[in-house]
Amino acid sequence: MSHSTSRMLMRVKAVYLYIREKGTVSTQEIAEEFGTTDRTIQRDLSILTHNGLVKSPVRGKWKTTTKPVKVSS
């Protein structure tokens, strides 16, 4: 796995954990927390949405789903 892919997967995991911890958060809040652009976070959220881990009940606001997740280090 390339370094950039590994870094992206670690960020996606961190984004998921951040949303799970905070409850409902905006795309902008996530981007600010991770020091990246809204577009990068939107790509990460697309991965999480595709896997059924997050949803956006209100446009631009995100929360985790009830899908069981085993988080490893």
Side-chain angles (χ1 to χ4, degrees):
M1 180 175 349
S2 74
H3 179 67
S4 62
T5 301
S6 177
R7 190 173 63 229
M8 183 268 303
L9 290 174
M10 289 179 66
R11 189 184 59 244
V12 169
K13 178 181 173 182
V15 167
Y16 172 78
L17 293 173
Y18 178 76
I19 296 169
R20 190 168 81 171
E21 177 186 315
K22 296 293 181 179
T24 302
V25 294
S26 71
T27 305
Q28 183 63 41
E29 286 175 79
I30 300 167
E32 288 174 6
E33 175 69 21
F34 290 91
T36 190
T37 65
D38 286 359
R39 184 64 196 121
T40 297
I41 294 303
Q42 288 166 352
R43 282 192 297 269
D44 295 348
L45 291 168
S46 291
I47 293 167
L48 291 167
T49 300
H50 178 76
N51 287 286
L53 299 174
V54 300
K55 61 183 176 180
S56 179
V58 178
R59 185 180 167 119
K61 297 283 188 179
W62 297 91
K63 67 182 197 173
T64 57
T65 63
T66 56
K67 183 176 181 176
V69 176
K70 181 179 178 183
V71 180
S72 60
S73 38

